[in-house]
């Protein structure tokens, strides 16, 4: 019978190494974060697993993933970083909020809204370091090291705390030259035969976006891209009619709305928080900054709404 682990055998410093790997998903990245060699990280984790008598990490396709027990351990140990920051603040006589917050968002929202919100956080709270990761694919909080995730649609999973951040509009836009060279578009029937600029069908992993194209079934995908920035530029260059984020395309030189009253898809941005994030106070500040940003700029997200 294997003896139960003793608390004196478990190093709190080794737990910090585990939290770092859980945060970034890779030992090399965790080593850089901690300012040590990656072999030190491996050695510390081996020692921690030996002390606890359980496996905490498994190698996955995208790096190291926490086992079920590993997730429970990290949830309980994640407060160590915040505790260390509080000790440092107490010793220095400072009440400055400190910590690193990693935010993951779709690329368009990240560039237009999140970057501005995070820049303001840095100005107002210099003790908070922010990291913005953008992707066109849905991102999961579990084992990914993200503190906050903005996603299109709802976020599944009971291990995250989610809320509606805002709705946003997808509308049709085209270059004036493209429209001038073709018969007038007065209603939905006139869209038949036009090239659609949108996501690549085979790579479209967001169910809500797939639904948005159903009503445009008479259009054919002429230019597909995983990048909303490429979609916008393709529509502006005359590749077809783009189903674009209104907050990116409305009022942009070289694009005009097409049937704005008839085509206005409303999709949700969901904001999810990882409950075991170590920098609790810093995460709360960043979350509030994101909410403030979309509230102040609601007119860009929902033109005429």
């Amino acid at each position: 019978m294997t003896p139960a682990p003793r608390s004196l055998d478990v190093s709190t410093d080794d737990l910090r190494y585990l939290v770092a790997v859980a945060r970034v998903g890779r030992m090399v990245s965790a080593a850089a974060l901690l300012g040590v060699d990656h072999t030190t990280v491996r050695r510390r984790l081996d020692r921690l697993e030996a002390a606890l008598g359980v496996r905490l990490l498994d190698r996955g396709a995208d790096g190291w993933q926490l086992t079920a027990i590993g997730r429970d351990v990290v949830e309980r140990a994640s407060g160590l970083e915040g505790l260390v920051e509080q000790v440092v603040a107490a010793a220095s006589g400072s009440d400055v909020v400190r910590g690193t917050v990693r935010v993951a968002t779709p690329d368009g929202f990240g560039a237009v809204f999140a970057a501005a919100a995070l820049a303001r956080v840095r100005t107002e709270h210099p003790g908070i370091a922010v990291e913005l990761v953008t992707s066109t694919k849905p991102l999961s909080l579990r084992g990914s090291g993200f503190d906050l995730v903005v996603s299109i649609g709802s976020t599944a999973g009971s291990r995250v705390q989610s809320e509606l951040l805002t709705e946003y509009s997808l509308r049709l836009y085209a270059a004036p030259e493209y429209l001038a060279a073709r018969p007038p578009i007065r209603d939905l029937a006139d869209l038949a035969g036009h090239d659609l600029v949108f996501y690549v069908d085979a790579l479209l992993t967001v169910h809500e976006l797939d639904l948005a194209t159903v009503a445009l079934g008479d259009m054919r995908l002429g230019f597909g891209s995983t990048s909303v920035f490429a979609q916008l530029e393709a529509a502006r260059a005359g590749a077809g009619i783009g189903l674009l984020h209104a907050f990116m395309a409305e009022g942009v030189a070289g694009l005009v709305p097409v049937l704005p009253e008839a085509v206005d898809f409303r999709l949700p941005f969901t904001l999810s928080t990882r409950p075991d994030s170590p920098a609790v106070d810093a995460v709360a500040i960043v979350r509030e900054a994101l909410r403030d940003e979309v509230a102040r700029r609601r007119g860009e997200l929902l033109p005429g709404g």
Side-chain angles (χ1 to χ4, degrees):
M1 179 174 169
T2 304
R6 300 185 309 159
S7 59
L8 291 177
D9 295 331
V10 179
S11 166
T12 54
D13 202 37
D14 291 347
L15 286 169
R16 288 180 57 244
Y17 280 69
L18 177 64
V19 171
V21 174
R23 182 179 186 81
V24 297
R26 297 183 183 278
M27 290 196 186
V28 173
S29 301
L33 187 67
L34 295 165
V36 299
D37 186 86
H38 75 278
T39 58
T40 300
V41 177
R42 177 71 270 180
R43 186 173 66 253
R44 292 297 194 98
L45 293 178
D46 287 343
R47 188 171 70 180
L48 180 60
E49 288 184 334
L52 293 174
V54 293
R55 187 164 185 81
L56 302 171
L57 292 162
D58 285 325
R59 185 182 289 277
D62 298 322
W64 291 92
Q65 300 290 329
L66 292 167
T67 64
I69 294 177
R71 286 196 296 273
D72 288 339
V73 171
V74 168
E75 284 184 14
R76 289 165 171 77
S78 58
L80 286 173
E81 289 185 5
L83 180 61
V84 171
E85 293 292 350
Q86 291 176 33
V87 170
V88 171
S92 64
S94 170
D95 59 356
V96 173
V97 177
R98 299 181 184 277
T100 299
V101 180
R102 177 173 291 184
V103 182
T105 75
D107 54 352
F109 180 89
V112 179
F113 289 92
L118 298 182
R120 191 169 68 253
V121 168
R122 284 290 301 144
T123 299
E124 297 174 357
H125 302 276
I128 299 177
V130 293
E131 300 173 351
L132 176 62
V133 179
T134 61
S135 173
T136 56
K137 296 180 180 180
L139 293 163
S140 170
L141 281 164
R142 192 179 71 176
S144 301
F146 301 118
D147 299 295
L148 295 163
V149 168
V150 176
S151 54
I152 300 171
S154 60
T155 301
S158 59
R159 301 184 69 89
V160 298
Q161 301 166 354
S162 299
E163 61 184 288
L164 174 65
L165 180 60
T166 182
E167 288 189 324
Y168 74 99
S169 287
L170 282 172
R171 293 184 173 187
L172 295 175
Y173 298 87
E177 296 80 6
Y178 174 93
L179 297 174
R182 292 161 178 80
I185 299 176
R186 298 188 178 90
D187 53 39
L188 290 173
D190 294 332
L191 293 173
H194 280 275
D195 286 337
L196 177 66
V197 177
F198 199 52
Y199 289 95
V200 180
D201 284 342
L203 300 178
L204 190 56
T205 53
V206 179
H207 178 62
E208 286 81 0
L209 290 174
D210 189 39
L211 291 177
T213 62
V214 172
L216 305 175
D218 291 333
M219 299 183 72
R220 58 179 183 270
L221 184 67
F223 184 100
S225 175
T226 58
S227 167
V228 293
F229 296 97
Q231 293 170 22
L232 187 146
E233 291 303 326
R236 196 154 63 165
I241 300 175
L243 182 57
L244 307 174
H245 296 60
F247 65 77
M248 296 179 65
E250 193 74 17
V252 170
L255 285 175
V256 295
V258 177
L259 302 178
E261 300 299 325
V263 180
D264 186 5
F265 298 105
R266 301 289 177 94
L267 298 181
F269 278 132
T270 298
L271 177 61
S272 300
T273 307
R274 193 180 72 185
D276 60 341
S277 295
V280 177
D281 293 339
V283 169
I285 289 171
V286 173
R287 184 176 66 244
E288 193 61 31
L290 290 170
R291 290 195 294 221
D292 287 346
E293 192 70 22
V294 299
R296 289 191 303 105
R297 300 168 62 184
R298 179 178 171 83
E300 297 175 49
L301 292 152
L302 300 167

